[in-house]
Amino acid sequence: MNSAMKTLDKPLSPGGMVGIVGGGQLGRMLALAAARLGLKSCIYNDTVDAPAFQVTPNAIVAPYDDLEQLGTFADLCDVVTFEFENLPAHAIAHLAQHVPVHPGAHALAMTQDRLTEKSFVEKLGLKTAPFFEVSSPAQAREAFGKLHGKGILKTRRFGYDGKGQAKVMSAEQAEQAFAAFKGAPAILEGFVDFSCEASVVAARGAGGQFAAYDPPENDHENHILRRSTVPSRLNEAQVDEAKAIARAIGDALAYVGVFAVELFVGGNGELLVNEIAPRVHNTGHWTIEACQCSQFEQHIRAVAGWPLGDPARHADAVMENIIGAEVHAWDSLAKSGALHLYGKAEARPGRKMGHLTRLKPLTKP
Ligand code: AMP
């Protein structure tokens, strides 16, 4: 590997190489957006069958902690980003010694651990569900006693799409759920009787520029996102508050790139932060058709040091995920909206195979 550290003190010119760690559908859509801006992309993935490999010729297949291959990748790229957060933070830190990496290892590490993430959000003065650290069966019992009869035990790390989570209704159940996690450090959260779930997808540039998309309302089924709808039922003040929450988080992390903040809307209208995703997000896929600058282009712009694009929405939109065997109806789905298929060979249950966005005339700007 070249030992000199590359810098990006001016915007990356067309023809430059954006490295993307992770080759799933998010990496694929990022690579497509980069191509549209005249930038090249190189995908680093730990298996050969990554959906993103189908859209760019520049590929490295190696484990995410292979420092030698990461070095080769750093040499090829002018700037590096990532598309999923369950990466070894030390690998990203290693890359960052040789090539600019956005968002940085700090933002990744902060959001990889639910305890540090929620504590960070709380310190910013933002609201979350009540949460307690659980590292022992006794702590699981004790924490349950501080809740109002209902909670969710979550592993601190490596949870997604409801994995590593258990709803608990008694101290015994909290203890049993902790035992089932086989000693993995966890947090116990109070159960929120939300009126709906929403999210805000936003971008921050290196100079602090900020752009937020309208927050969609999100419906989940079996812990997997089913659909995102804009406009949501949030009123104007809540929309402004959601965007302000994202701005506070982005500024506090000195974040560069697109990120998402998942929110619970409480029965009384208050917004509680559930989770921060340091990447483009499934609840922002509708921006491809409904906005001048999609979340994918926005992320590429931010990490390449380009001016941020306009996040304004010119249509109402409903984005539905195509999950597992639903993809076999691709020909009828193709008739009913903007169809995106991710090029995955096997339609396993629960696997996100594509999405469909339907636009409607703008009702509420
Ligand atoms: P998470 O992995 O934290 O994003 O949680 C996945 C989903 O589980 C959320 O989108 C909610 O539908 C549900 N959930 C998570 N935490 C809570 C909570 N404290 N109260 C109620 N529902 C929750």
Side-chain angles (χ1 to χ4, degrees):
M1 151 163 17
N2 295 331
S3 53
M5 168 65 189
K6 295 178 194 172
T7 53
L8 197 64
D9 42 22
K10 55 182 176 35
L12 182 61
S13 300
M17 181 75 84
V18 179
I20 301 169
V21 184
Q25 64 267 21
L26 301 179
R28 177 180 169 108
M29 290 185 273
L30 284 168
L32 291 169
R36 205 172 146 235
L37 298 177
L39 295 164
K40 297 178 191 143
S41 59
C42 180
I43 307 293
Y44 190 113
N45 195 76
D46 67 347
T47 56
V48 290
D49 55 353
F53 286 158
Q54 298 166 14
V55 302
T56 175
N58 311 304
I60 291 187
V61 183
Y64 292 120
D65 56 1
D66 182 331
L67 299 188
E68 200 180 317
Q69 289 299 318
L70 287 168
T72 305
F73 180 63
D75 285 346
L76 287 171
C77 300
D78 296 301
V79 63
V80 164
T81 188
F82 48 87
E83 59 115 51
F84 73 111
E85 60 266 51
N86 287 335
L87 286 169
H90 74 268
I92 296 297
H94 177 76
L95 278 173
Q97 288 169 9
H98 304 280
V99 62
V101 180
H102 297 307
H106 167 66
L108 179 67
M110 169 71 77
T111 54
Q112 276 179 333
D113 181 329
R114 291 186 192 272
L115 183 63
T116 55
E117 180 183 55
K118 287 226 154 60
S119 308
F120 160 77
V121 167
E122 202 175 41
K123 276 201 200 95
L124 289 178
L126 305 173
K127 290 177 217 124
T128 66
F131 64 95
F132 303 96
E133 180 176 356
V134 174
S135 305
S136 68
Q139 260 183 333
R141 271 185 173 275
E142 195 188 317
F144 189 85
K146 296 179 190 156
L147 302 179
H148 299 289
K150 219 173 169 197
I152 299 195
L153 191 76
K154 302 181 178 180
T155 54
R156 281 171 59 174
R157 299 170 65 84
F158 303 122
Y160 65 96
D161 286 350
K163 294 184 176 73
Q165 292 195 16
K167 195 165 159 182
V168 293
M169 309 291 281
S170 67
E172 290 69 40
Q173 281 182 8
E175 215 180 303
Q176 283 159 8
F178 180 73
F181 291 164
K182 300 191 168 36
I187 61 169
L188 183 64
E189 271 181 35
F191 192 86
V192 181
D193 277 317
F194 51 76
S195 61
C196 71
E197 292 187 78
S199 57
V200 52
V201 175
R204 188 177 179 280
Q209 317 90 300
F210 179 78
Y213 293 96
D214 273 350
E217 186 170 329
N218 304 317
D219 300 309
H220 293 85
E221 278 170 21
N222 306 321
H223 296 283
I224 299 172
L225 181 70
R226 174 82 266 171
R227 90 180 52 76
S228 290
T229 306
V230 273
S232 64
R233 279 176 287 169
L234 300 192
N235 62 33
E236 216 175 296
Q238 288 171 315
V239 167
D240 290 346
E241 189 188 337
K243 291 180 180 177
I245 288 171
R247 180 155 210 164
I249 290 171
D251 284 346
L253 290 171
Y255 194 92
V256 178
V258 164
F259 61 104
V261 183
E262 294 178 22
L263 300 165
F264 296 135
V265 184
N268 56 2
E270 68 177 359
L271 302 184
L272 306 177
V273 174
N274 175 33
E275 217 173 21
I276 304 164
R279 53 170 171 78
V280 286
H281 199 247
N282 196 169
T283 65
H285 289 1
W286 57 272
T287 61
I288 298 175
E289 283 82 18
C291 299
Q292 182 177 307
C293 178
S294 75
Q295 63 162 346
F296 299 100
E297 179 179 333
Q298 194 72 292
H299 185 70
I300 297 293
R301 282 173 174 254
V303 302
W306 286 33
L308 295 184
D310 183 357
R313 187 166 58 80
H314 53 68
D316 289 1
V318 180
M319 186 288 313
E320 300 231 19
N321 273 333
I322 300 168
I323 299 166
E326 291 165 9
V327 71
H328 300 315
W330 58 268
D331 48 353
S332 66
L333 290 167
K335 291 180 201 138
S336 62
L339 179 64
H340 297 252
L341 297 180
Y342 303 150
K344 296 181 185 176
E346 208 190 325
R348 291 194 290 269
R351 195 173 196 204
K352 292 173 183 169
M353 302 300 292
H355 72 266
L356 184 79
T357 300
R358 295 186 181 93
L359 295 184
K360 292 183 217 146
L362 193 68
T363 51
K364 194 166 82 176

